Amino acid sequence: MEQTPGTPKALMAAVIGMGILIVVGTLGLVGVIIHRMGAHTPPTSAALSAPAVPLQDAPAHPVLPAGTHLISMARVRDDLLALHVSTNGEERILLWQVSTGRILPGLDTAAPSDGATP
């Protein structure tokens, strides 16, 4: 390999070394991606033994008290949803157990009142 005049040997060695590092890093990254694609974990036995709930028995929507408006909904667990509702201007969080259709007590989002006016 011919060197152009004025190019130090240390600079050429650094460029070749960085090129080798780029190739090794790319091969390592491709290897990790292939390994993760092939490493599927089987489902746990708890998921396999859980009884299925027939769709016709599960309610399509929770029964909320009259005057209550649903603001948002978020999943807590597989069978539990958090419902952000508003009733007469007061906001609350309710927990809905989907498989049974029960509404569980949640929490009030209103700040506690100490009697003082702002």
Side-chain angles (χ1 to χ4, degrees):
M1 171 156 76
E2 256 183 60
Q3 269 190 319
T4 58
T7 305
K9 288 186 179 187
L11 180 61
M12 288 299 288
V15 169
I16 292 171
M18 285 187 282
I20 291 171
L21 287 175
I22 288 173
V23 170
V24 169
T26 303
L27 290 176
L29 181 62
V30 169
V32 167
I33 290 171
I34 290 172
H35 175 70
R36 288 191 179 179
M37 286 174 55
H40 294 287
T41 57
T44 61
S45 61
L48 295 175
S49 64
V53 176
L55 290 177
Q56 65 270 16
D57 292 343
H61 56 81
V63 178
L64 297 174
T68 301
H69 301 284
L70 180 65
I71 297 172
S72 65
M73 183 171 23
R75 177 180 167 206
V76 178
R77 289 190 313 246
D78 285 341
D79 190 37
L80 193 63
L81 296 175
L83 306 176
H84 182 191
V85 297
S86 173
T87 307
N88 300 327
E90 294 183 12
E91 295 183 3
R92 295 184 302 154
I93 304 292
L94 300 175
L95 298 174
W96 175 33
Q97 192 170 16
V98 179
S99 63
T100 62
R102 293 185 336 188
I103 299 289
L104 306 172
L107 29 120
D108 293 324
T109 58
S113 174
D114 60 359
T117 55

